[in-house]
Structures are given as C-alpha cells and as structure tokens.
Amino acid sequence: MIRTPTARTQDGEAGRTIRAFEPRAVPRLSVVFGYGPMLPFVAGAVLVWLLPGALAGAVFTLTLLWACAILLFLSGVRRGVSFRTEGGATLAQIATMLSLFLLGYGALLAFALSRPALALGLLIVGFTEITILDPIAARRGEAPLFFERLRPAQIPLAVLSLAALLAYRLTL
C-alpha cells in the first residue's frame, strides 16, 4: 500500500502534500503530442490551395473543425494544470481557460452558422493568446516550465496555417 503524505488545513481537514520536480526541457512525449496535432493544420493549409473545388472545401472544413477541437482541448489543459497549482487556481488561469473555451466554442458556433471567416478569426486570436500567455504562465508557475520553450515554436504553426485558410476563404 502506498501512503500519501498528509497535511492538515486550519480547520483540521486532511489533505496531502505533493512534491514534484519539473524540468525545463520539453519531454519527448510532449514533443510528439505537441507537434503531432499541428500536422493537420499545416497539411490542411497546404491542401486547400492545391486540391480542386469540393475536395478543397472538405479539407477546409475538416481543418477548421480540427482547430476548434484543439483549441477546446487546450482550454481543458489550462484548467487541468490549474488543479495542481500551489495554493489553488489563479484568476489568470481561470480567465485564460474561459477565454480559450469561449473562443473555441464561438468559432465552432460561427462555423455552424456559415461564418467561416469569423470562425477563423476567433481561432487565430485563441491560438495567438496561447503563444503569448503560456510562456508567461510557465514563468509564473501556472503552467509546466517546458511551455515556455514549446509554445512559441509549436503554436505559430497553427496560427500561420489558420491565416492561410483565412486567405483561401477570402479568395472565394
């Protein structure tokens, strides 16, 4: 049986203490699961410009929906990380999670309402937010340290790909 260290709060309620070492280096699995999801963005952005009509439209739709799913997932990542923040979730963590979720859901709704350019704009804002805020959160202890190195290299692939999709859409 594994025993977890316990601590007592001021009101006597039992809890536990967690100690963890967090390296600055990006873990290999995070490289795979960080850059892997960016591949459909890049492939979709290239293929919409190369494929004929209906096929390009299908790739456009799938890529946009993928972007919505990934942004919504990343909002959940931010919330999940906040559960392990020392002292509890910060206002910045909750605000970031909510804004990412609302941008992702708003993009999904805009697309469902036949407003793909608006959807892409919302997605570009959301992914740009991650590019800027995740390194800051990492330095403040509100996200894994490796986000400081990973996000500025990873997320611009999504932003540039979404910009290429937006340019494609505006040419129609």
Side-chain angles (χ1 to χ4, degrees), residues 55-166:
L55 205 47
V59 168
F60 177 88
T61 296
L62 291 172
T63 307
L64 193 147
L65 291 174
W66 177 259
C68 290
I70 296 299
L71 189 57
L72 289 167
F73 172 80
L74 290 173
S75 76
V77 167
R78 288 305 297 261
R79 180 62 180 134
V81 167
S82 76
F83 290 128
R84 289 293 187 192
T85 299
E86 189 174 335
T90 66
L91 181 60
Q93 286 173 310
I94 298 300
T96 300
M97 178 272 298
L98 285 173
S99 68
L100 294 175
F101 180 82
L102 292 172
L103 288 165
Y105 185 72
L108 195 57
L109 187 59
F111 182 71
L113 296 173
S114 300
R115 304 284 309 271
L118 175 59
L120 288 164
L122 293 171
L123 291 166
I124 289 168
V125 169
F127 283 100
T128 300
E129 179 181 327
I130 292 168
T131 304
I132 295 167
L133 295 182
D134 273 8
I136 294 168
R139 287 190 293 275
R140 292 172 47 170
E142 297 175 345
L145 281 173
F146 71 87
F147 278 19
E148 187 174 12
R149 293 181 61 201
L150 177 66
R151 295 300 197 225
Q154 169 204 20
I155 300 298
L157 295 171
V159 174
L160 293 172
S161 298
L162 292 167
L165 288 177
L166 181 58

Side-chain angles (χ1 to χ4, degrees), residues 18-25 145:
I18 298 172
R19 296 179 192 267
F21 173 76
E22 188 177 54
R24 285 195 181 278
L145 281 173

